[in-house]
PDB file of all heavy atoms in Angstrom:
ATOM      1  N   ILE R  87     -16.594   3.455  -5.695  1.00  0.00           N
ATOM      2  CA  ILE R  87     -16.936   2.345  -6.584  1.00  0.00           C
ATOM      3  C   ILE R  87     -16.413   1.036  -6.096  1.00  0.00           C
ATOM      4  O   ILE R  87     -17.154   0.018  -6.042  1.00  0.00           O
ATOM      5  CB  ILE R  87     -16.369   2.621  -7.994  1.00  0.00           C
ATOM      6  CG1 ILE R  87     -17.049   3.800  -8.651  1.00  0.00           C
ATOM      7  CG2 ILE R  87     -16.508   1.378  -8.881  1.00  0.00           C
ATOM      8  CD1 ILE R  87     -16.414   4.307  -9.948  1.00  0.00           C
ATOM      9  N   LEU R  88     -15.160   0.989  -5.585  1.00  0.00           N
ATOM     10  CA  LEU R  88     -14.597  -0.256  -5.118  1.00  0.00           C
ATOM     11  C   LEU R  88     -15.428  -0.808  -3.921  1.00  0.00           C
ATOM     12  O   LEU R  88     -15.713  -2.007  -3.812  1.00  0.00           O
ATOM     13  CB  LEU R  88     -13.191  -0.029  -4.724  1.00  0.00           C
ATOM     14  CG  LEU R  88     -12.134   0.269  -5.837  1.00  0.00           C
ATOM     15  CD1 LEU R  88     -10.733   0.420  -5.240  1.00  0.00           C
ATOM     16  CD2 LEU R  88     -12.091  -0.879  -6.877  1.00  0.00           C
ATOM     17  N   MET R  89     -15.716   0.114  -3.007  1.00  0.00           N
ATOM     18  CA  MET R  89     -16.460  -0.303  -1.829  1.00  0.00           C
ATOM     19  C   MET R  89     -17.871  -0.791  -2.137  1.00  0.00           C
ATOM     20  O   MET R  89     -18.404  -1.631  -1.431  1.00  0.00           O
ATOM     21  CB  MET R  89     -16.464   0.778  -0.806  1.00  0.00           C
ATOM     22  CG  MET R  89     -15.080   1.152  -0.245  1.00  0.00           C
ATOM     23  SD  MET R  89     -14.966   2.503   0.907  1.00  0.00           S
ATOM     24  CE  MET R  89     -15.773   1.760   2.312  1.00  0.00           C
ATOM     25  N   SER R  90     -18.422  -0.354  -3.252  1.00  0.00           N
ATOM     26  CA  SER R  90     -19.772  -0.800  -3.669  1.00  0.00           C
ATOM     27  C   SER R  90     -19.703  -2.238  -4.045  1.00  0.00           C
ATOM     28  O   SER R  90     -20.740  -2.934  -4.058  1.00  0.00           O
ATOM     29  CB  SER R  90     -20.339   0.087  -4.748  1.00  0.00           C
ATOM     30  OG  SER R  90     -19.737  -0.176  -6.004  1.00  0.00           O
ATOM     31  N   TYR R  91     -18.518  -2.805  -4.388  1.00  0.00           N
ATOM     32  CA  TYR R  91     -18.344  -4.161  -4.782  1.00  0.00           C
ATOM     33  C   TYR R  91     -17.823  -5.043  -3.646  1.00  0.00           C
ATOM     34  O   TYR R  91     -17.554  -6.211  -3.786  1.00  0.00           O
ATOM     35  CB  TYR R  91     -17.375  -4.266  -5.957  1.00  0.00           C
ATOM     36  CG  TYR R  91     -17.920  -3.853  -7.294  1.00  0.00           C
ATOM     37  CD1 TYR R  91     -17.969  -2.511  -7.711  1.00  0.00           C
ATOM     38  CD2 TYR R  91     -18.374  -4.832  -8.231  1.00  0.00           C
ATOM     39  CE1 TYR R  91     -18.508  -2.127  -8.931  1.00  0.00           C
ATOM     40  CE2 TYR R  91     -18.888  -4.417  -9.460  1.00  0.00           C
ATOM     41  CZ  TYR R  91     -18.913  -3.061  -9.809  1.00  0.00           C
ATOM     42  OH  TYR R  91     -19.397  -2.698 -11.075  1.00  0.00           O
ATOM     43  N   GLY R  92     -17.585  -4.380  -2.494  1.00  0.00           N
ATOM     44  CA  GLY R  92     -16.996  -5.112  -1.389  1.00  0.00           C
ATOM     45  C   GLY R  92     -15.518  -5.267  -1.457  1.00  0.00           C
ATOM     46  O   GLY R  92     -14.917  -6.137  -0.778  1.00  0.00           O
ATOM     47  N   ILE R  93     -14.862  -4.456  -2.284  1.00  0.00           N
ATOM     48  CA  ILE R  93     -13.408  -4.464  -2.396  1.00  0.00           C
ATOM     49  C   ILE R  93     -12.778  -3.591  -1.299  1.00  0.00           C
ATOM     50  O   ILE R  93     -13.251  -2.439  -1.159  1.00  0.00           O
ATOM     51  CB  ILE R  93     -12.939  -3.934  -3.793  1.00  0.00           C
ATOM     52  CG1 ILE R  93     -13.684  -4.713  -4.892  1.00  0.00           C
ATOM     53  CG2 ILE R  93     -11.458  -4.039  -3.922  1.00  0.00           C
ATOM     54  CD1 ILE R  93     -13.438  -6.174  -4.919  1.00  0.00           C
ATOM     55  N   PRO R  94     -11.794  -3.995  -0.529  1.00  0.00           N
ATOM     56  CA  PRO R  94     -11.165  -3.146   0.478  1.00  0.00           C
ATOM     57  C   PRO R  94     -10.724  -1.844  -0.179  1.00  0.00           C
ATOM     58  O   PRO R  94     -10.156  -1.831  -1.237  1.00  0.00           O
ATOM     59  CB  PRO R  94      -9.978  -4.025   0.939  1.00  0.00           C
ATOM     60  CG  PRO R  94     -10.420  -5.398   0.699  1.00  0.00           C
ATOM     61  CD  PRO R  94     -11.198  -5.366  -0.566  1.00  0.00           C
ATOM     62  N   GLU R  95     -10.863  -0.778   0.590  1.00  0.00           N
ATOM     63  CA  GLU R  95     -10.572   0.566   0.123  1.00  0.00           C
ATOM     64  C   GLU R  95      -9.135   0.723  -0.326  1.00  0.00           C
ATOM     65  O   GLU R  95      -8.787   1.530  -1.224  1.00  0.00           O
ATOM     66  CB  GLU R  95     -10.944   1.567   1.187  1.00  0.00           C
ATOM     67  CG  GLU R  95     -10.855   3.016   0.776  1.00  0.00           C
ATOM     68  CD  GLU R  95     -11.223   3.998   1.833  1.00  0.00           C
ATOM     69  OE1 GLU R  95     -11.418   3.557   3.001  1.00  0.00           O
ATOM     70  OE2 GLU R  95     -11.349   5.175   1.544  1.00  0.00           O
ATOM     71  N   ASP R  96      -8.233  -0.051   0.305  1.00  0.00           N
ATOM     72  CA  ASP R  96      -6.802   0.186  -0.020  1.00  0.00           C
ATOM     73  C   ASP R  96      -6.459  -0.159  -1.453  1.00  0.00           C
ATOM     74  O   ASP R  96      -5.433   0.252  -2.010  1.00  0.00           O
ATOM     75  CB  ASP R  96      -5.934  -0.691   0.871  1.00  0.00           C
ATOM     76  CG  ASP R  96      -5.882  -0.221   2.314  1.00  0.00           C
ATOM     77  OD1 ASP R  96      -6.362   0.977   2.564  1.00  0.00           O
ATOM     78  OD2 ASP R  96      -5.425  -0.928   3.193  1.00  0.00           O
ATOM     79  N   PHE R  97      -7.342  -0.832  -2.175  1.00  0.00           N
ATOM     80  CA  PHE R  97      -7.096  -1.127  -3.576  1.00  0.00           C
ATOM     81  C   PHE R  97      -7.201   0.124  -4.467  1.00  0.00           C
ATOM     82  O   PHE R  97      -6.866   0.092  -5.610  1.00  0.00           O
ATOM     83  CB  PHE R  97      -8.040  -2.246  -4.062  1.00  0.00           C
ATOM     84  CG  PHE R  97      -7.498  -3.624  -3.646  1.00  0.00           C
ATOM     85  CD1 PHE R  97      -7.791  -4.130  -2.421  1.00  0.00           C
ATOM     86  CD2 PHE R  97      -6.725  -4.361  -4.517  1.00  0.00           C
ATOM     87  CE1 PHE R  97      -7.354  -5.420  -2.052  1.00  0.00           C
ATOM     88  CE2 PHE R  97      -6.239  -5.623  -4.143  1.00  0.00           C
ATOM     89  CZ  PHE R  97      -6.536  -6.163  -2.916  1.00  0.00           C
ATOM     90  N   LYS R  98      -7.724   1.161  -3.916  1.00  0.00           N
ATOM     91  CA  LYS R  98      -7.759   2.384  -4.712  1.00  0.00           C
ATOM     92  C   LYS R  98      -6.372   2.922  -5.014  1.00  0.00           C
ATOM     93  O   LYS R  98      -6.229   3.763  -5.903  1.00  0.00           O
ATOM     94  CB  LYS R  98      -8.550   3.492  -3.909  1.00  0.00           C
ATOM     95  CG  LYS R  98      -7.836   3.993  -2.631  1.00  0.00           C
ATOM     96  CD  LYS R  98      -8.683   4.959  -1.841  1.00  0.00           C
ATOM     97  CE  LYS R  98      -8.001   5.464  -0.607  1.00  0.00           C
ATOM     98  NZ  LYS R  98      -8.928   6.335   0.190  1.00  0.00           N
ATOM     99  N   TYR R  99      -5.372   2.428  -4.306  1.00  0.00           N
ATOM    100  CA  TYR R  99      -4.036   2.857  -4.635  1.00  0.00           C
ATOM    101  C   TYR R  99      -3.378   2.178  -5.829  1.00  0.00           C
ATOM    102  O   TYR R  99      -2.324   2.576  -6.277  1.00  0.00           O
ATOM    103  CB  TYR R  99      -3.139   2.722  -3.362  1.00  0.00           C
ATOM    104  CG  TYR R  99      -3.587   3.598  -2.256  1.00  0.00           C
ATOM    105  CD1 TYR R  99      -4.256   3.074  -1.142  1.00  0.00           C
ATOM    106  CD2 TYR R  99      -3.388   4.952  -2.283  1.00  0.00           C
ATOM    107  CE1 TYR R  99      -4.700   3.867  -0.150  1.00  0.00           C
ATOM    108  CE2 TYR R  99      -3.844   5.807  -1.264  1.00  0.00           C
ATOM    109  CZ  TYR R  99      -4.522   5.256  -0.230  1.00  0.00           C
ATOM    110  OH  TYR R  99      -4.985   6.096   0.812  1.00  0.00           O
ATOM    111  N   ILE R 100      -4.023   1.140  -6.354  1.00  0.00           N
ATOM    112  CA  ILE R 100      -3.454   0.475  -7.522  1.00  0.00           C
ATOM    113  C   ILE R 100      -3.228   1.412  -8.709  1.00  0.00           C
ATOM    114  O   ILE R 100      -2.191   1.395  -9.303  1.00  0.00           O
ATOM    115  CB  ILE R 100      -4.355  -0.743  -7.937  1.00  0.00           C
ATOM    116  CG1 ILE R 100      -4.093  -1.904  -6.946  1.00  0.00           C
ATOM    117  CG2 ILE R 100      -4.110  -1.171  -9.364  1.00  0.00           C
ATOM    118  CD1 ILE R 100      -4.903  -3.174  -7.277  1.00  0.00           C
ATOM    119  N   PRO R 101      -4.207   2.263  -9.067  1.00  0.00           N
ATOM    120  CA  PRO R 101      -3.992   3.151 -10.173  1.00  0.00           C
ATOM    121  C   PRO R 101      -2.755   4.129  -9.991  1.00  0.00           C
ATOM    122  O   PRO R 101      -2.110   4.534 -10.925  1.00  0.00           O
ATOM    123  CB  PRO R 101      -5.289   3.899 -10.379  1.00  0.00           C
ATOM    124  CG  PRO R 101      -6.290   3.112  -9.695  1.00  0.00           C
ATOM    125  CD  PRO R 101      -5.618   2.416  -8.572  1.00  0.00           C
ATOM    126  N   LEU R 102      -2.541   4.512  -8.738  1.00  0.00           N
ATOM    127  CA  LEU R 102      -1.415   5.363  -8.490  1.00  0.00           C
ATOM    128  C   LEU R 102      -0.104   4.647  -8.747  1.00  0.00           C
ATOM    129  O   LEU R 102       0.858   5.217  -9.248  1.00  0.00           O
ATOM    130  CB  LEU R 102      -1.400   5.834  -7.016  1.00  0.00           C
ATOM    131  CG  LEU R 102      -2.301   7.120  -6.713  1.00  0.00           C
ATOM    132  CD1 LEU R 102      -2.342   7.365  -5.238  1.00  0.00           C
ATOM    133  CD2 LEU R 102      -1.810   8.298  -7.458  1.00  0.00           C
ATOM    134  N   VAL R 103      -0.066   3.337  -8.341  1.00  0.00           N
ATOM    135  CA  VAL R 103       1.137   2.511  -8.616  1.00  0.00           C
ATOM    136  C   VAL R 103       1.260   2.188 -10.073  1.00  0.00           C
ATOM    137  O   VAL R 103       2.367   2.241 -10.708  1.00  0.00           O
ATOM    138  CB  VAL R 103       1.170   1.279  -7.709  1.00  0.00           C
ATOM    139  CG1 VAL R 103       2.270   0.336  -8.140  1.00  0.00           C
ATOM    140  CG2 VAL R 103       1.290   1.677  -6.282  1.00  0.00           C
ATOM    141  N   GLU R 104       0.122   1.857 -10.684  1.00  0.00           N
ATOM    142  CA  GLU R 104       0.124   1.344 -12.052  1.00  0.00           C
ATOM    143  C   GLU R 104       0.417   2.442 -13.090  1.00  0.00           C
ATOM    144  O   GLU R 104       1.246   2.245 -13.997  1.00  0.00           O
ATOM    145  CB  GLU R 104      -1.216   0.665 -12.442  1.00  0.00           C
ATOM    146  CG  GLU R 104      -1.442  -0.677 -11.788  1.00  0.00           C
ATOM    147  CD  GLU R 104      -0.666  -1.762 -12.398  1.00  0.00           C
ATOM    148  OE1 GLU R 104      -0.197  -1.603 -13.514  1.00  0.00           O
ATOM    149  OE2 GLU R 104      -0.536  -2.835 -11.788  1.00  0.00           O
ATOM    150  N   SER R 105      -0.263   3.576 -12.957  1.00  0.00           N
ATOM    151  CA  SER R 105      -0.213   4.626 -13.969  1.00  0.00           C
ATOM    152  C   SER R 105       0.075   5.978 -13.471  1.00  0.00           C
ATOM    153  O   SER R 105       0.212   6.936 -14.214  1.00  0.00           O
ATOM    154  CB  SER R 105      -1.472   4.642 -14.769  1.00  0.00           C
ATOM    155  OG  SER R 105      -2.552   5.092 -13.921  1.00  0.00           O
TER     156      SER R 105
END
Side-chain angles (χ1 to χ4, degrees):
I87 292 169
L88 293 179
M89 292 178 73
S90 73
Y91 285 83
I93 308 298
E95 189 178 7
D96 288 349
F97 280 85
K98 69 186 179 183
Y99 295 106
I100 282 181
L102 276 174
V103 170
E104 289 284 344
S105 67

